[in-house]
Amino acid sequence: TSKEQDALQKLSVFHGGFRREAAAEVAGATIPVLASLVDKSLVRVLANGRYDFHPLLLQFAGEKLASNAAEKSLAEERHARYFAVFFGAKRDSIPRSGQNDVTDLLADELANLEQMWHYLAQHRWLEDIAALATATFLLHFNLGRLAEGAKLFVRVRASLEPSNPEHFFALGSLCVREAGYLKYLASFRDAVAIAEEGLSYLRRSSHPEVWLKTITGLNEAGV
């Protein structure tokens, strides 16, 4: 049906599978539509209750979505907004070390979260970048993905403007968390350098009150 075709195309913006709630919010895929797609072997249900595509079907659906630039742009924006809100709601429940139900839930969404970060950087959603930097570091730390996290933050920083005051808070937030990655990767000199750069951004940002708090946190972390 036209509803199933529309949903199938929009579901292609997900990476690494998706949950039923996310499908409804991002692609408008209701439970009956999802059930029909499963019955037709266009979407599959995994053992943990998540949904996924066969790679060839994912490619086909993505190509169909790409033929409508406006719909593709809107679906990608909805995907980024959904995961920014979803991740933001979980950030205070991520432990400082170790794993719990929240980290397990977020681990299933790693590919979607990385895609979200790509969108945040490309479209410069500065508030979300600053708000999610710490949670992303903690998630990567708990999952043993420090090298991947450091590379991600380097890419995100490269998309921002070091001379633009509006970008200072986001850049500072990224830098101080990147210092954490580098510390645990035993790149101590680089960790200190990027931490100092981050503090410089924060001191000059529209949130200077974060500067002193960050210095205290870095000292406690041994950076």
Side-chain angles (χ1 to χ4, degrees), residues 11 15 29 40-41 78 100 106 133 147 154 162 187 189 194:
L11 288 171
H15 295 252
K40 295 174 180 177
S41 299
R78 285 178 175 170
N100 60 10
L106 294 173
V154 167
S187 297
R189 182 174 298 178
I194 200 69

Side-chain angles (χ1 to χ4, degrees), residues 51-126:
Y51 294 81
D52 201 358
F53 279 101
H54 185 282
L56 290 178
L57 287 173
L58 177 62
Q59 179 182 350
F60 173 76
E63 289 172 354
K64 288 291 186 181
L65 182 63
S67 66
N68 188 326
E71 286 293 332
K72 182 176 185 290
S73 177
L74 183 58
E76 290 173 342
E77 180 181 352
R78 285 178 175 170
H79 178 276
R81 175 52 58 204
Y82 175 84
F83 280 101
V85 173
F86 172 76
F87 194 21
K90 305 294 183 186
R91 63 183 179 180
D92 292 335
S93 300
I94 302 173
R96 307 298 295 185
S97 63
Q99 290 186 235
N100 60 10
D101 291 344
V102 172
T103 52
D104 291 341
L105 176 66
L106 294 173
D108 288 336
E109 303 291 1
L110 279 175
N112 282 313
L113 293 176
E114 182 160 353
Q115 182 63 21
M116 172 206 74
W117 269 109
H118 176 75
Y119 192 94
L120 298 186
Q122 182 181 12
H123 295 271
R124 294 178 173 177
W125 288 10
L126 301 175

Side-chain angles (χ1 to χ4, degrees), residues 16-29:
F18 52 89
R19 298 177 305 118
R20 183 179 69 241
E21 298 86 351
E25 187 75 20
V26 174

Side-chain angles (χ1 to χ4, degrees), residues 146-168:
L146 294 169
E148 293 86 349
K151 291 177 182 178
L152 172 64
F153 275 29
V154 167
R155 292 198 301 271
V156 176
R157 280 199 300 115
S159 72
L160 304 183
E161 299 174 11
S163 60
N164 187 338
E166 293 183 0
H167 294 200
F168 285 173

Side-chain angles (χ1 to χ4, degrees), residues 183-184 188 191-192 215-223:
K183 173 198 170 184
Y184 288 106
F188 300 113
V192 171
I215 290 177
T216 302
L218 289 171
N219 287 335
E220 291 174 350
V223 177

